[in-house]
Amino acid sequence: MLLIFALAGLFNFLIIVVIIATMTQVPNTSVKDLLIFIVAVFAFVKAQKYSLDNSTLIVEAVVTRTRIRLADKIRQTDLASYEHIGEGRLVRLLTQETMNISEASKLISRLCSSATLLIVAFLYIAYQSLPAFFATIGLITLGVQIYRVRRGMIESELSAAADKETQFFSTFNHLLDGFKELKISESKSDDFFFNHLTSTANETERLKVSSSFKLNKMIIFAQIFCYNIMGIMIFIFPRLIEIAPFTLIQIVSIILFVTTGPLQEVVGSFPFMERANLAVRKIRDMETELEQAVAGETRLKRKPRQPKPFESLSCADLAFEYNHSQPESVFRIGPIDFELKRGEIVFFMGGNGAGKSTFLKVLTGLYMPTGGGIVCNGRKVTLQNISHYRSNFSIIFQDMHLFDRLYGVETIDPAAVDEMLERMQLEDKTSIFPDGRFENINLSAGQKKRLALIVAELDGRDIFVFDEWAADQDPNFRRYFYEVYLKDLKNRGKTVIAVTHDDKYYNAADRIFKMEYGKISELHPSTDAMRASASMPNRKD
């Protein structure tokens, strides 16, 4: 590829030389010169097209492999590390940073061609006149350095403008996501709009205008600089050094071409290359961080085997804490002793921040315990088998995500799916195509959770985990869930763990646990649970 890039630059220079040489012979141009010109143009076009097309193929393949590699490492990392890294960083890497690499890499073919053209042009000037060569190199080097220094000063302002624009869009998202809350409170709406959204927009405008004005000055500087070089070479250089007029015409023609085209392209590519190098470093750092997060967890390369039917699990002194570096701000759960048997229905209750969701994430293997352990079907859960252990669970969290299709379901029974959709009163809202894609997922919160229940059924797992599933349902579906659906799961040998504050239906559980300050205690379904529920607010965890 580099060879083809260089050839494109050589053929481009050949075109220039032929044009300059032929201009001195007008009107006595020869057919030979015309043929050389045609061949040079044809060769340049072919070399340029080959280099541009193939560099595009290579760059996009590299970007795609990078995105796929990052996505694979993201999906393999543990939940705690993923939450620590943050969704925003990952999205920015997969979009903005890879696009920076892609855009800069696409410049390489033109950049190499232009660089080759510059080198050959300077060699040609040196062949014609060494003093002219040194003068040209000195002036261009001075101009490039001034440009780079000024560009570096502008980059910080451009970065500040970009950060402020990101802040504006973040603020604007609050307008979209919090529309109802702003609509109901005029004072809140006015404060948000005038004191925050508008001020951020105005500051963004100020920074962008200021940086754009400075960029405009840079563009004018580059244009004036080219004229200054030609002025020096035409008006001053001949007075200092003896040079033939024809040679001077050739040198000035070459300078005119390289400074208004290839030189500007080479110098203009510096910021793109710097951003691309920074993006590469960020991606490498992220990959290192992700590799450290997944280093302990062994993933089998072969197709995972189906877990044995769930029979029992037990937790002994189970503990987890979020932050080891700041002991005063650590949130801990445990030590917890807990047992679960096949076919049981177990309810958890507790106030906001009691640790119920955290306990579910540890129990289901999404968080690795920092103390104690879990034994499932007589086998201790370790980093080496935790992926296999997770396959026992179907989970619907409060902040569940509904995918656009049935991923991981190999066979779909249309009749069974239609029956479940009808049972969940979703037959008029959506359907499932033969390829597993949902017709519609733009549903209400309660409808999405009902559709998620169908997905959980189709996953065919033994343990169902529900985190406040019924909170978004109307009274009829809430009653159906507790009095019919959970009993049906139990009759089919399934096991249920549900976080709920619906004390009206506590009699549907075999056992009830209350969670406080990261620890659990078992309650009697008919007495203790009722009193505990009455003493705390009905709030989500």
Side-chain angles (χ1 to χ4, degrees), residues 418-430 443 447 450-451 454 474 476-477 480:
D418 290 341
E419 189 275 329
M420 283 188 280
L421 287 170
E422 185 175 356
R423 187 168 13 126
M424 294 294 161
Q425 296 183 11
L426 296 173
E427 70 276 12
D428 295 331
K429 302 293 183 181
T430 189
L443 307 170
Q447 290 168 345
R450 299 207 296 271
L451 188 55
I454 296 175
D474 60 40
N476 290 332
F477 263 107
Y480 169 80

Side-chain angles (χ1 to χ4, degrees), residues 477-488 504-505 507-508:
F477 263 107
R478 188 172 297 194
R479 183 171 59 253
Y480 169 80
F481 175 73
Y482 289 110
E483 296 182 353
V484 179
Y485 184 72
L486 294 187
K487 289 182 180 179
D488 178 59
K504 179 180 178 181
Y505 300 104
N507 58 355

Side-chain angles (χ1 to χ4, degrees), residues 356-368:
K356 302 184 299 297
S357 295
T358 301
F359 173 65
L360 291 183
K361 291 173 183 176
V362 178
L363 186 67
T364 56
L366 292 173
Y367 288 162
M368 198 64 190

Side-chain angles (χ1 to χ4, degrees), residues 103-300:
E103 292 302 317
S105 300
K106 289 175 182 177
L107 294 173
I108 289 178
S109 59
R110 301 199 305 271
L111 184 60
C112 291
S113 178
S114 298
T116 302
L117 179 58
L118 285 174
I119 292 171
V120 177
F122 289 140
L123 291 176
Y124 181 80
I125 293 173
Y127 172 75
Q128 295 291 335
S129 171
L130 281 176
F133 167 76
F134 288 119
T136 303
I137 289 294
L139 290 170
I140 289 178
T141 301
L142 175 63
V144 170
Q145 285 301 114
I146 294 174
Y147 178 88
R148 291 196 65 182
V149 170
R150 291 189 174 182
R151 178 76 194 194
M153 295 169 63
I154 297 174
E155 280 295 325
S156 60
E157 194 163 333
L158 288 171
S159 177
D163 291 341
K164 185 60 68 172
E165 191 164 41
T166 300
Q167 182 182 341
F168 168 77
F169 285 119
S170 176
T171 306
F172 189 81
N173 282 336
H174 285 296
L175 171 62
L176 303 179
D177 296 337
F179 183 83
K180 296 187 296 296
E181 289 79 3
L182 292 175
K183 196 69 177 175
I184 205 169
S185 173
E186 186 175 355
S187 60
K188 181 182 292 186
S189 178
D190 289 345
D191 181 34
F192 168 82
F193 181 76
F194 292 108
N195 297 330
H196 297 277
L197 183 67
T198 303
S199 62
T200 304
N202 290 335
E203 181 65 12
T204 302
E205 178 189 8
R206 186 190 67 78
L207 288 171
K208 292 182 74 172
V209 168
S210 175
S211 58
S212 294
F213 281 178
K214 291 178 181 178
L215 280 175
N216 293 339
K217 290 181 181 178
M218 291 295 299
I219 294 171
I220 295 172
F221 167 79
Q223 293 173 337
I224 293 176
F225 176 74
C226 296
Y227 296 142
N228 286 339
I229 291 180
M230 288 185 286
I232 290 171
M233 298 302 296
I234 294 173
F235 297 107
I236 299 176
F237 191 72
R239 297 178 182 275
L240 302 176
I241 301 295
E242 185 177 347
I243 186 169
F246 176 74
T247 302
L248 182 61
I249 291 173
Q250 287 184 311
I251 292 173
V252 171
S253 299
I254 294 293
I255 292 174
L256 175 63
F257 182 82
V258 300
T259 53
T260 57
L263 182 62
Q264 288 188 11
E265 194 166 68
V266 171
V267 175
S269 67
F270 290 163
F272 294 96
M273 295 302 170
E274 289 169 1
R275 282 197 289 268
N277 283 328
L278 179 60
V280 169
R281 288 195 293 271
K282 287 181 179 179
I283 289 174
R284 285 178 175 171
D285 291 343
M286 177 58 69
E287 289 201 72
T288 300
E289 193 171 346
L290 290 171
E291 286 167 1
Q292 292 173 349
V294 303
E297 186 172 326
T298 302
R299 293 180 60 88
L300 301 177

